[in-house]
Each structure stands twice: as C-alpha cells, then as structure tokens.
C-alpha cells in the first residue's frame, strides 16, 4: 500500500504539468501578427500618385479589395488568439515570480491592449471593404480616411512592448523565464515602447509581432519548467 501511494504521488506532478498549447497559440499569434502587418501594407494606397486627391485614393483602394479582405481575416484571427497566449504567459510568470508580483498581470494586460488595437483596426472593414466594389457609393474623403485607419491602427503594438518589458524584468530579476528570453524581450520591448511613444507610433507594428513570435517559440521549445 505504501509503495502504491508513493508511486501515485510521484506521478501527480507529471499529471499536473500544464500543457504548452498556450505557447503554441502564441506562435500562431506571432505569425498571424506579422501577416497582418504585411497585409496592411498591401492595402496602402500609392501616396505619391494620390497625394491630396481623395477620389484618387478611393479608386486606388477599390483596386485592392482582395487585400482588404485578407487583412481583415489575419487581423481578426490574431486578436482572437493573443488573449490565450496572454493568459498562459500570466500563469507562467506567476508560477515563478514572487508572491504578489505584477509581472504576469502587466504582461497579459499589454497583450490584451494589442488585441484591442487590432479589433479597432479592423472595425471599419465591414463598412468599407465590401463596398469597395461600388466606389461611387462612397464619399471619397471617408474612403481616404479608411485607408489611413487600416494603415495605422492595426500597427499599434506598443502594448506588446509593455508585455515584453514585463517578461524581461520577471526573467532577469526573478528567473521566471530563460535568461536569453529576458534579454531578447528587453531589447525588443524597449524598441517597441520607444517607437510606440513617438509620433511614429505605428512603427511598433514591425517589432511587436516579432517579439511575440520569439517569446512564444521560446516557451514552446526552450522552456524546461
């Protein structure tokens, strides 16, 4: 009986070990995030050819209706999977950080803010993307604004920069994640936050998804805890 209980107790930690599905969800979010940025770039109008001409911007946008559909799909898929990784990251950091530490909560909050930006960034697609097949129905200035919207709001990944810095601090100060991941997160996080805090805040869209992909791969493949 004692031997059986001992074997049962030994097996419990293995059974209780959390799945890494949350980390692989983050990998999907990172890949989709990069794809979203690329799709957003594909929807951009030719600024040199259309500068100051709302009608020309509308005509240009109407020729890229397919790109707007692709952008919408990637953006929505990204915002749906980010919160899953955010919840897993919070749990993972809370396991190793000191009791009452805020690292996990801050990291999750930054990612949720990023998902919210993607939700807003794709929020006008129903109103405009489908109707671009009939551009004469639109006020040109409204359509021109829409092109600015999709070229800016989905790029607001500054929240991911906050998450990266929170992960970096949890790693470097408390050993809550692999040290290499802490250093990488610190570098990419600072770059993302600085970009997001500047007037060129949309530039955070270049580094935020990359950090998300690197961090999630780190937890999925290289995390031994």
């Amino acid at each position: 009986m004692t031997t059986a209980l001992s074997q049962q107790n030994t097996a419990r930690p293995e059974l209780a070990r959390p799945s890494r599905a949350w980390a692989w969800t983050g990998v999907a979010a990172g890949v989709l995030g990069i794809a979203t940025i690329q799709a957003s770039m594909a929807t951009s109008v030719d600024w040199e050819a259309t500068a100051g001409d709302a009608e020309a911007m509308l005509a240009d946008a109407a020729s890229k209706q397919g790109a707007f559909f692709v952008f919408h799909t990637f953006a929505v898929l990204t915002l749906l999977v980010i919160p899953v990784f955010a919840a897993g990251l919070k749990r993972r950091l809370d396991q190793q950080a000191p009791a009452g530490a805020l690292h996990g909560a801050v990291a999750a909050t930054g990612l949720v803010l990023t998902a919210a930006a993607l939700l807003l960034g794709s929020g006008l697609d129903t109103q405009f993307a489908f109707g671009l097949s009939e551009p004469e129905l639109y006020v040109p200035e409204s359509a021109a604004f829409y092109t600015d919207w999709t070229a800016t709001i989905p790029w607001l990944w500054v929240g991911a920069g906050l998450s990266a810095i929170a992960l970096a601090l949890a790693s470097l100060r408390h050993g809550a994640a692999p040290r290499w991941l802490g250093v990488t997160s610190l570098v990419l996080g600072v770059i993302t936050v600085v970009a997001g805090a500047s007037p060129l805040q949309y530039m955070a869209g270049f580094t935020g998804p990359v950090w998300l992909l690197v961090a999630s791969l780190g937890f999925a493949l290289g995390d031994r805890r």
Side-chain angles (χ1 to χ4, degrees), residues 27-44:
V27 173
V31 171
L32 287 167
I34 293 172
T36 298
I37 296 300
Q38 295 300 314
S40 174
M41 293 176 67
T43 66
S44 297

Side-chain angles (χ1 to χ4, degrees), residues 3 85 94 107-108 112 122 135 182 190:
T3 302
F85 177 72
D94 286 348
V112 171
S122 60
V190 169

Side-chain angles (χ1 to χ4, degrees), residues 156-170:
L156 302 183
W157 279 70
V158 65
L162 178 65
S163 300
I165 292 175
L167 170 57
L169 293 177

Side-chain angles (χ1 to χ4, degrees), residues 92-199:
R92 174 64 181 77
L93 296 183
D94 286 348
Q95 289 173 346
Q96 292 295 122
L102 299 179
H103 303 86
V106 173
T109 300
L111 286 169
V112 171
L113 287 174
T114 301
L118 288 167
L119 177 62
L120 291 173
S122 60
L124 292 177
D125 293 341
T126 301
Q127 180 68 15
F128 287 93
F130 286 100
L132 287 175
S133 58
E134 299 180 274
E136 67 276 3
L137 298 179
Y138 288 103
V139 175
E141 288 74 14
S142 295
F145 170 77
Y146 171 61
T147 63
D148 286 338
W149 184 268
T150 57
T152 305
I153 305 302
W155 292 64
L156 302 183
W157 279 70
V158 65
L162 178 65
S163 300
I165 292 175
L167 170 57
L169 293 177
S171 169
L172 300 178
R173 295 183 62 184
H174 306 295
R179 185 173 180 81
W180 73 264
L181 184 52
V183 173
T184 303
S185 294
L186 182 61
V187 173
L188 290 176
V190 169
I191 293 173
T192 303
V193 168
V194 169
S198 74

